[in-house]
């Protein structure tokens, strides 16, 4: 499949997208400062677009890069590749050299590429790690979904292990089809998994409510696998596969898009349900162009985009395909979160145990992210706490309001868990 590496020769009819690289240490999820990031067109390694250095948060500046026209990702009949592909080569003292090829950048949205670097063993030099990102599912050719019942039978044999819907901290992804014993298993944080799949299976340029509908379908499907322990009850040691024939397309090491990331953070507690059914619904879908599945009562991705263009809300899109008895539900528990959302925004003037907890967590995060100021843990949301929250929001791509809203609260929890417990989990 041709890459968009020859984009320099096609200066007419070209748009721009945004690209930012974050470099983290694989042995603790800490930022790697002063890493050299060399960006080139995939397929043309001599065409260096930019060389950048990471800051104390492990991030490069946001870079404007060339992409195909926006309309390529909006037209169901368009056959040209709608995204540019870039290669990141990363070097940092004390780490293996890393390379990610095929980072996908769409017009008018921010592509966020995270790269983990492996610390070098003593007296070892010259090691090299490489990830190649495969084509987007709407552009490449992948096996169609094998149809399953959307509600799994519940009996007395113990097949259904969980008594309630829980958002897991991690899912175990089998990077291949069922039965492929050569495929590796990867522990992936639940939200990162959903963001990866959504970035791999829909275009981030689509309307927000189309993205919401697809994210809800992806999350509900995934939580059905978790709730029913579908693969574990068949003797496998994973939660879900990366095969489109069985589950969703997860691509190890791929970039995500800011519009997708924002919506997943907004919705990650939710799933889809039907009346009098405890388990999340196994919401199957297809692209609607290469594979048609509307007659099965499944959502089509291009069809959801058309409805989003017409102003349909996320639940209206979902009910159009899955029926009017489909509802958005909220999970009873979120695994791995130290304490739950207080139920209201925290801002200047707030006080109490929730503010104190957040201050303690921000200070712990600041040990790994030195750009984040440390604050007095007094349970009072004053100007210093507001400034620390604003800096946290800046580092992690949230609106810089200084107010700890729902998305900010859970992002603090996520990063706190990552920096304080990742070493134990590894």
């Amino acid at each position: 499949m041709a890459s968009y590496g020859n984009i320099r020769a096609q200066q007419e009819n070209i748009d721009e997208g945004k690209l930012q690289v974050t470099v983290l240490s694989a042995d603790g999820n800490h930022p790697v400062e002063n890493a050299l990031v060399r960006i080139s067109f995939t397929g043309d390694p001599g065409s260096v677009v930019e060389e950048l250095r990471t800051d104390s948060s492990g991030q490069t500046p946001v870079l404007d890069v060339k992409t195909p026209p926006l309309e390529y990702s909006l037209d169901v009949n368009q056959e040209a590749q709608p995204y540019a592909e870039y290669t990141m080569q990363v070097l940092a003292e004390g780490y293996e050299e890393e390379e990610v090829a095929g980072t996908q950048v769409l017009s008018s949205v921010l592509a966020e590429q995270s790269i983990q670097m492996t610390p070098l063993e003593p007296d070892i030099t010259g090691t090299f790690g490489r990830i190649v990102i495969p084509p987007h599912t709407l552009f490449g050719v992948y096996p169609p979904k094998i149809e399953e019942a959307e509600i799994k039978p519940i009996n007395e044999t113990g097949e259904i292990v969980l008594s309630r819907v829980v958002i897991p901290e991690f899912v175990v992804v089998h990077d291949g089809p069922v039965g492929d014993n050569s495929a590796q298993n990867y522990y992936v944080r639940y939200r990162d998994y959903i963001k990866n799949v959504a970035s791999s299976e829909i275009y981030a340029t689509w309307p927000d409510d189309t993205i919401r509908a697809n994210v809800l379908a992806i999350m509900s499907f995934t939580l059905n696998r978790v709730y029913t322990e579908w693969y574990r009850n068949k003797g496998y040691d994973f939660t879900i596969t990366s095969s489109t024939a069985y589950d969703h397309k997860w691509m190890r090491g791929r970039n995500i898009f800011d519009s997708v990331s924002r919506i997943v953070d907004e919705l990650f507690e939710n799933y889809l349900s039907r009346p009098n059914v405890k388990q999340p619904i196994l919401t199957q879908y297809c692209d609607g162009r290469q594979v048609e599945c509307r007659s099965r009562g499944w959502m089509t991705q291009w069809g959801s985009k058309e409805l989003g263009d017409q102003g349909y809300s996320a639940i209206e899109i979902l009910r159009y395909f899955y029926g009017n008895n489909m509802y958005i539900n909220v999970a009873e528990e979120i695994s791995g979160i130290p304490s739950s959302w207080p139920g209201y925004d925290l801002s200047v003037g707030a006080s109490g145990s929730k503010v104190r907890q957040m201050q303690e967590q921000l200070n712990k995060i600041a040990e790994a992210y030195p750009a984040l100021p440390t604050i007095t843990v007094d349970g009072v949301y004053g100007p210093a706490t507001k400034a620390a929250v604003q800096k946290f929001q800046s580092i992690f791509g949230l609106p810089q309001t200084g107010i700890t809203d729902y998305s900010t609260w859970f992002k603090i929890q996520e990063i706190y868990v990552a920096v304080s417990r990742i070493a134990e989990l590894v």
Side-chain angles (χ1 to χ4, degrees):
M1 185 169 295
S3 78
Y4 212 75
N6 61 352
I7 194 169
R8 293 175 301 163
Q10 303 175 18
Q11 292 301 313
E12 71 285 352
N13 208 22
I14 284 177
D15 282 354
E16 280 192 343
K18 295 184 181 298
L19 173 63
Q20 184 175 39
V21 181
T22 299
V23 181
L24 302 172
S25 174
D27 68 343
N29 223 31
H30 300 303
V32 177
E33 185 176 4
N34 203 38
L36 174 65
V37 180
R38 185 175 292 122
I39 302 171
S40 61
F41 293 113
T42 296
D44 188 4
S47 61
V48 176
V49 174
E50 193 78 48
E51 288 191 356
L52 305 165
R53 292 278 181 178
T54 56
D55 61 17
S56 62
S57 299
Q59 296 178 323
T60 67
V62 175
L63 184 66
D64 292 322
V65 295
K66 295 187 182 302
T67 69
L70 174 61
E71 56 265 28
Y72 283 15
S73 64
L74 302 178
D75 183 358
V76 64
N77 297 312
Q78 176 60 246
E79 295 186 358
Q81 182 171 314
Y83 52 86
E85 294 178 49
Y86 290 91
T87 293
M88 321 287 123
Q89 183 185 24
V90 187
L91 300 96
E93 185 176 355
Y95 292 90
E96 293 182 5
E97 180 183 341
E98 302 289 344
E99 183 176 285
V100 175
T103 295
Q104 299 167 7
V105 186
L106 288 158
S107 172
S108 305
V109 293
L110 172 63
E112 301 169 327
Q113 179 65 66
S114 180
I115 298 176
Q116 290 202 330
M117 302 198 77
T118 303
L120 285 170
E121 298 290 335
D123 303 321
I124 300 295
T125 59
T127 55
F128 178 77
R130 189 168 193 260
I131 289 174
V132 178
I133 299 170
H136 196 282
T137 62
L138 294 178
F139 184 68
V141 178
Y142 292 89
K145 177 74 179 73
I146 300 169
E147 186 171 3
E148 298 179 46
E150 69 166 28
I151 299 170
K152 301 304 182 187
I154 300 176
N155 52 43
E156 302 300 321
T157 66
E159 180 178 338
I160 304 301
V161 175
L162 299 181
S163 61
R164 63 194 186 282
V165 178
V166 175
I167 303 296
E169 186 176 354
F170 287 87
V171 292
V172 181
V173 184
H174 183 68
D175 195 12
V178 177
D180 181 357
N181 295 326
S182 66
Q184 286 189 258
N185 291 348
Y186 294 93
Y187 282 77
V188 184
R189 290 188 180 278
Y190 172 75
R191 268 195 284 182
D192 292 341
Y193 170 79
I194 301 299
K195 292 175 182 181
N196 183 305
V197 170
S199 295
S200 301
E201 294 196 337
I202 58 174
Y203 290 138
T205 53
W206 288 0
D208 275 6
D209 276 311
T210 293
I211 297 175
R212 288 188 181 96
N214 281 271
V215 163
L216 284 163
I218 294 166
M219 292 193 299
S220 189
F221 186 109
T222 303
L223 290 176
N224 183 279
R225 294 297 198 218
V226 172
Y227 181 87
T228 62
E229 298 207 310
W230 183 248
Y231 289 112
R232 294 188 186 280
N233 280 299
K234 297 178 181 297
Y236 298 106
D237 58 352
F238 49 83
T239 312
I240 202 162
T241 76
S242 68
S243 169
T244 57
Y246 299 94
D247 299 293
H248 303 130
K249 188 58 189 172
W250 175 82
M251 302 179 183
R252 185 172 76 94
R254 73 151 295 128
N255 63 286
I256 61 171
F257 296 98
D258 63 337
S259 55
V260 169
S261 181
R262 169 176 52 82
I263 286 171
V264 172
D265 286 340
E266 168 194 322
L267 296 176
F268 81 100
E269 282 187 287
N270 299 123
Y271 63 96
L272 298 172
S273 65
R274 297 201 190 275
N276 303 314
V277 178
K278 284 186 176 181
Q279 62 185 270
I281 304 303
L282 192 82
T283 35
Q284 299 162 94
Y285 53 80
C286 67
D287 74 320
R289 182 176 73 171
Q290 298 181 87
V291 176
E292 182 50 60
C293 59
R294 180 75 180 91
S295 61
R296 300 182 187 180
W298 295 5
M299 180 170 67
T300 69
Q301 293 160 318
W302 279 107
S304 71
K305 188 265 180 186
E306 181 181 352
L307 295 179
D309 288 340
Q310 296 174 36
Y312 281 57
S313 68
I315 190 61
E316 288 171 337
I317 293 171
L318 291 163
R319 286 176 175 170
Y320 178 88
F321 292 105
Y322 297 117
N324 288 330
N325 65 339
M326 185 71 84
Y327 295 90
I328 299 174
N329 215 330
V330 179
E332 296 180 36
E333 183 181 332
I334 303 170
S335 177
I337 295 298
S339 183
S340 62
W341 161 242
Y344 54 87
D345 292 353
L346 299 176
S347 58
V348 172
S351 61
S353 61
K354 294 292 186 180
V355 175
R356 179 181 293 274
Q357 174 197 336
M358 183 198 65
Q359 291 170 328
E360 290 173 346
Q361 291 172 340
L362 285 173
N363 282 349
K364 181 65 177 178
I365 294 168
E367 294 176 12
Y369 288 83
L372 190 64
T374 56
I375 49 180
T376 301
V377 179
D378 56 7
V380 176
Y381 206 117
T385 298
K386 177 182 178 180
V389 170
Q390 282 181 309
K391 186 61 180 178
F392 176 89
Q393 291 168 329
S394 171
I395 293 171
F396 294 102
L398 299 166
Q400 297 171 47
T401 62
I403 297 171
T404 305
D405 56 9
Y406 177 89
S407 296
T408 302
W409 174 271
F410 280 111
K411 179 61 75 171
I412 291 172
Q413 308 299 302
E414 176 189 352
I415 302 303
Y416 170 77
V417 169
V419 301
S420 62
R421 291 182 50 203
I422 192 73
E424 301 171 25
L425 293 165
V426 170

